[in-house]
Amino acid sequence: MTRASLFLAAALVAVSAAPALAAPKPAAPVTNAAPGDAYYQAGQAALAKALTVNPRTGKAKNVILFLGDGMGVSTVVASRIYEGQQRGVDGESNALSFEKLPWTALSKTYSHDTQVTDSAAGITAITTGVKTRNKVIGLSGAAKPESCASEAGTRVETIAELAKAHGLSAGAVTTTRITHATPAGVYAHTAYRDWEGDGDMPTDAVAAGCKDIARQLVEAPAGLRLDVALGGGRSRFLPDAKDGKRADGRDLTAEWLKAPNAAYVTTDAELAALDPAKTGPVLGLFASEHLPYEVERPVLGQGVPTLAAMATKAVDLLSKNPKGYFLLVEGGKIDMGSHLNNAKRTLTETVEFSKAVQAVLDKVNLDDTLVIVTADHSHGLVISGYAARNAPILGLAGNEGEPVVAGDGKPYTVLSFATGPGGPEGGGSRADPSKEDTDDIDYHQNAVANLPSSAHSGEDVGVFADGPGSYLVHGVVEESYLYQIMRHAYGFDEAAAK
């Protein structure tokens, strides 16, 4: 036996003679309290629901674009909390109607020439797929604001015009003037968003042949003209003799009625009475200027339909076309509340917008209707501080439940604005919100910098969708990409559109 073999044999004997090692004790079970936690269970339920969502890959017969003007992410969050608190439920975990849609994205809203877009350039990007300059509607970035001559050769087709060209119907609903920037982005092409009526235009632009926005709505060729247009702005359609602002003396409402079976309505009762089966194109103008804020409805809103009532009636009117339709629904006064640094108005308008979305979702079939909810831009609304859970969203900020004051010795509100009329004037100090009713409908939140009107902000905005093609709403996208989703959902390829 070799020396190596002797060593191996000795080692084996030593191992076999050694006492057996004790088996390791099983580890103590890990105690996990998470499965019984309400947040954990809510997450499980959300996952289970998400796993059931399948992309709808068919073609869309109808497309409904909801646009909350100025409805940034902070506005959505604050409104979600406000809506829940108004109903007496937990606002922080609440959800607005459109937040429950399964497909979401963020939209980059910069315009062709600015970091922060206005509504004219924003809606043009969404409805045409082309980013343009601020103040310009329905024209490419080659057009120059307020230059009538630059309108030549810069016109870009809107998704509504494309739908009409394919035999579908089209409509626009808004709480602003129907000639205001966002609704105008469905049908108008102009170098200046404020050319809503000829009385708003310089004489040289009129002489050069540029048309005001109201004329473009009424004078559009029959094959392209909107089938439904509901909102405010009656003054841009009527002459001075009829309490309007038209300088040419024309009554465009009378001209609208020349179309077969056309209707012109001015009250909620008249709108409700319309029989879709017997009615042709409908023009509804429910105020001389913008419609009243929802908080003003008890005083100023008699005879004025809600956004939900206008939107659902528009769906009824447009649905009679067997080929389908395109519809824009704008919550336009969300933006206007924020321009005032008036969060109460901003939030109540957003809640009404959410109600309109839900009312339409309850009517349509998402197997053939694409619904997209988004904003054209954000606003300078900020949610800051560490207010206690369930503290009033329109109230004062706190430090995890404790009162808190800023360096100037004054408290501050949960909601504030970067700029606007709530800022200190003339080097003075800011107002003390603890001495004011922050829930009042006319309360203006503090702002950092004083401006006559709060400025828009440039962060991305949310996009929420369901229906055919909605699975294409994901990631971080260009605002102009939304047009491509709608076009693709309809099945309108580029060759067919030429």
Side-chain angles (χ1 to χ4, degrees), residues 295-461:
V295 294
E296 299 169 337
R297 180 169 293 279
V299 177
L300 302 176
Q302 278 69 34
V304 178
T306 63
L307 182 61
M310 291 190 290
T312 53
K313 190 67 174 187
V315 169
D316 291 339
L317 292 163
L318 296 170
S319 294
K320 66 183 179 182
N321 186 337
K323 292 186 176 181
Y325 59 83
F326 169 83
L327 174 62
L328 167 76
V329 180
E330 185 203 19
K333 302 203 73 173
I334 299 170
D335 171 77
M336 293 180 182
S338 289
H339 276 300
L340 296 172
N341 287 171
N342 184 250
K344 179 90 169 186
R345 281 175 162 79
T346 297
L347 304 193
T348 52
E349 291 298 315
T350 306
V351 170
E352 286 302 308
F353 178 74
S354 175
K355 291 178 180 178
V357 174
Q358 188 61 58
V360 169
L361 288 173
D362 290 342
K363 286 186 72 74
V364 301
N365 182 354
L366 290 173
D367 287 333
D368 66 7
T369 302
L370 170 63
V371 174
I372 295 178
V373 183
T374 190
D376 47 355
H377 58 78
S378 185
H379 241 291
L381 178 68
V382 178
I383 308 172
S384 186
Y386 302 94
R389 184 73 176 267
N390 295 317
I393 191 65
L394 292 173
L396 300 179
N399 186 6
E400 298 179 353
E402 295 298 320
V404 64
V405 295
D408 59 3
K410 302 172 184 176
Y412 60 95
T413 51
V414 175
L415 302 180
S416 61
F417 287 83
T419 63
E425 299 183 68
S429 61
R430 69 186 181 95
D432 185 343
S434 67
K435 297 179 179 179
E436 301 178 278
D437 180 4
T438 60
D439 192 54
D440 187 82
I441 63 173
D442 292 318
Y443 177 74
H444 299 274
Q445 271 69 22
N446 287 162
V448 175
N450 189 279
L451 292 177
S453 176
S454 177
H456 297 170
S457 58
E459 71 269 18
D460 299 348
V461 299

Side-chain angles (χ1 to χ4, degrees), residues 10-69:
L12 290 172
V13 171
V15 170
S16 62
L21 296 175
K25 295 181 179 180
V30 176
T31 300
N32 184 6
D37 182 85
Y39 297 108
Y40 189 94
Q41 293 175 344
Q44 285 184 312
L47 174 63
K49 183 177 181 180
L51 290 171
T52 66
V53 176
N54 294 310
R56 288 185 169 97
T57 57
K59 298 301 181 185
K61 175 182 177 182
N62 316 305
V63 171
I64 303 176
L65 172 64
F66 283 93
L67 193 138
D69 201 310

Side-chain angles (χ1 to χ4, degrees), residues 119-125 127-128 130-133 135-141 143 151 153-158 161 181 184-192 216:
S119 292
I123 191 61
T124 297
T127 58
T128 72
V130 174
K131 292 209 175 201
T132 192
R133 300 177 189 274
K135 302 181 182 179
V136 173
I137 299 173
L139 307 175
S140 74
E151 292 184 5
T154 59
R155 178 187 177 112
V156 283
E157 186 179 47
T158 74
E161 291 169 334
V186 174
Y187 61 87
H189 306 268
T190 179
Y192 193 40
Q216 291 189 46

